[in-house]
Amino acid sequence: MGRNWYLLWSGSAVSALGDGLFLAALPLLAATLTQDPKLIAGVSFFGTLPWLLVSLSAGAAADRYDGRRLLLAALWVQCALMAVLAAFHNAHIAFLYGMAFLIGTAETVPRAVGQPLIKATVENHLLERANGRLFASQSTALQFLGPPLGGLLFAVAVPAPFWVNALTFAIAAALVTKMRTSHDKPPVRPKAREGLRWLLNHKALRTITVVSATTNLCIAMTMATLVLFAQQRLGLTNAGFGAFLATLACGGVAGGLFAERLISRYRYTISATVVLIPLMWLGIATVAHDLVTVAVFAVVSSFCTAVWGVATASFRQRTVPTELLGRVSSAQTLITWGVQPVGALLGGLTADWFGLLAPWYVAITLRTVVGVLSLRSLQRTALSTAGGSEHPVPPTGLSAG
């Protein structure tokens, strides 16, 4: 892993820190404008809607244009949008919906170009290591450092986390500027739907996509009103909400660091993650009434999520032809992340009609059914390989991505 990889890794970590600030500050800002679960869930709905609408186009762009330049453009756009949000933070909640949508749209580009850039900067046999380090650093910044800092800054001054977020995007852009990558793209304009067609025709990736999509749908249902869950069930303050989000990161960091070793040594690692995740959600919904208890279940859940993420990302990078990787990755994003606005909408309505715990129980039931049905197929699929083999080997195991 050379200079380009470390610059990409550093830029990703810095921008993830800004995303962590945003993760805590945006729902807190919404909660200052309304306590209606439906309206608060609307922020998640509009923020995730772009994954459904523009993912395929972002993937086609990633396969046609220089990924480094696309990433730079997206980072600067996100920087500008955060500055606008900071300047007009006290506007109507409809303005918040619009900004969430625009920021989410800009985020589809880094997601699309990230997979090809990783593959271009890392040798095949090092993909698990690279993805593991990337997942660990992103979990640390996005969930462990960012949310508590975002909650603290929000408590000090409402626009502060958004200004700092804008700064992180500028720093990330400066790091990516120093990368030197070749622009060797096809002369013919790639068709966006080719990636979706390739994905649907690949049995293993289809199964992975179904499990990941279900997981993301369920996570979106619970996250849509999580700020109210934290305030009303756990009695947390604004700063405490940031700490609550940070508990999710501990397992993610460990999972990213240990994923390579677990996947290569233990055949049923991935199957275990599929079973454990809904069990941990059940613990949160039933017996967790304080931050410490929630943290225990959340750490195990995020550890499993990280292991799945490393395994599926490495498998996808090895399996998909380079010239299709941006489109296939974005097609998978279209499905797995495109369900999030649906989940956010369902979560808000369910919480409004049946109470704040209802989305958790619906999510647990749905994820358990899909997980159990997918186990046999996953056990026959090699999601990654130990030692850098180019060919799949018998199974080893979420990013929900």
Side-chain angles (χ1 to χ4, degrees):
M1 294 185 286
R3 181 174 181 271
N4 282 333
W5 155 250
Y6 285 106
L7 287 170
L8 180 64
W9 183 22
S10 301
S12 174
V14 173
S15 64
L17 177 63
D19 290 338
L21 298 172
F22 189 65
L23 184 66
L26 187 65
L28 288 173
L29 179 58
T32 65
L33 301 175
T34 179
Q35 287 289 296
D36 188 327
K38 298 189 299 298
L39 295 179
I40 290 180
V43 177
S44 295
F45 174 81
F46 284 102
T48 54
L49 187 60
W51 299 109
L52 184 63
L53 300 180
V54 300
S55 289
L56 290 182
S57 298
D63 284 335
R64 185 182 185 190
Y65 301 110
D66 184 353
R68 186 185 69 89
R69 292 185 178 181
L70 285 175
L71 181 57
L72 272 175
L75 289 170
W76 284 120
V77 168
Q78 287 173 293
C79 176
L81 289 172
M82 284 298 169
V84 171
L85 182 56
F88 299 96
H89 63 275
N90 55 355
H92 192 273
I93 195 168
F95 173 77
L96 200 58
Y97 291 166
M99 293 304 299
F101 180 82
L102 292 175
I103 292 167
T105 300
E107 178 60 26
T108 62
V109 174
R111 175 75 181 182
V113 303
Q115 295 292 308
L117 281 176
I118 292 172
K119 188 171 183 177
T121 56
V122 177
E123 295 180 12
N124 232 25
H125 69 283
L126 295 175
L127 284 173
E128 277 83 15
R129 184 176 305 171
N131 285 311
R133 290 181 180 179
L134 185 65
F135 206 107
S137 62
Q138 287 183 333
S139 294
T140 301
L142 176 62
Q143 295 177 321
F144 189 68
L145 299 177
L149 182 58
L152 181 61
L153 289 172
F154 188 90
V156 173
V158 172
F162 304 108
W163 285 119
V164 176
N165 197 355
L167 178 61
T168 63
F169 284 124
I171 295 173
L175 290 168
V176 173
T177 300
K178 297 181 179 180
M179 291 178 63
R180 295 293 178 264
T181 58
S182 60
H183 180 202
D184 186 18
K185 300 293 182 178
V188 179
R189 181 177 181 177
K191 297 180 180 179
R193 295 188 181 275
E194 287 180 356
L196 181 60
R197 188 180 302 113
W198 199 98
L199 172 65
L200 295 178
N201 287 332
H202 195 285
K203 184 177 180 180
L205 285 178
R206 278 204 317 269
T207 302
I208 292 168
T209 301
V210 169
V211 176
S212 294
T214 304
T215 304
N216 279 346
L217 175 71
C218 295
I219 290 174
M221 289 182 65
T222 59
M223 289 293 291
T225 55
L226 190 66
V227 65
L228 297 181
F229 177 89
Q231 291 174 344
Q232 297 178 21
R233 181 179 171 91
L234 304 180
L236 299 181
T237 62
N238 290 342
F241 178 64
F244 173 47
L245 294 179
T247 63
L248 302 175
C250 300
V253 174
L257 294 176
F258 287 101
E260 179 186 11
R261 184 179 303 174
L262 290 172
I263 293 166
S264 63
R265 290 187 179 183
Y266 302 105
R267 177 186 177 105
Y268 293 106
T269 296
I270 304 308
S271 299
T273 69
V274 172
V275 174
L276 284 172
I277 288 172
L279 287 178
M280 296 305 103
W281 295 352
L282 181 62
I284 292 174
T286 56
V287 302
H289 294 275
D290 58 85
L291 182 58
V292 175
T293 309
V294 168
V296 172
F297 291 111
V299 164
V300 178
S301 176
S302 59
F303 182 92
C304 294
T305 299
V307 173
W308 171 278
V310 171
T312 55
S314 302
F315 178 75
R316 180 172 56 244
Q317 290 158 359
R318 282 198 181 92
T319 304
V320 181
T322 301
E323 66 275 9
L324 278 168
L325 185 55
R327 281 169 288 170
V328 173
S329 297
S330 291
Q332 197 167 31
T333 299
L334 168 70
I335 300 170
T336 60
W337 290 37
V339 298
Q340 291 185 77
V342 179
L345 184 61
L346 290 175
L349 292 174
T350 303
D352 184 53
W353 293 337
F354 304 107
L356 291 177
L357 287 179
W360 287 91
Y361 289 117
V362 174
I364 291 162
T365 302
L366 180 60
R367 178 58 177 74
T368 299
V369 171
V370 172
V372 169
L373 292 176
S374 69
L375 278 178
R376 179 174 294 182
S377 178
L378 289 173
Q379 289 170 358
R380 292 197 299 262
T381 301
L383 292 189
S384 65
T385 58
S389 170
E390 289 289 333
H391 304 285
V393 297
T396 60
L398 198 115
S399 150

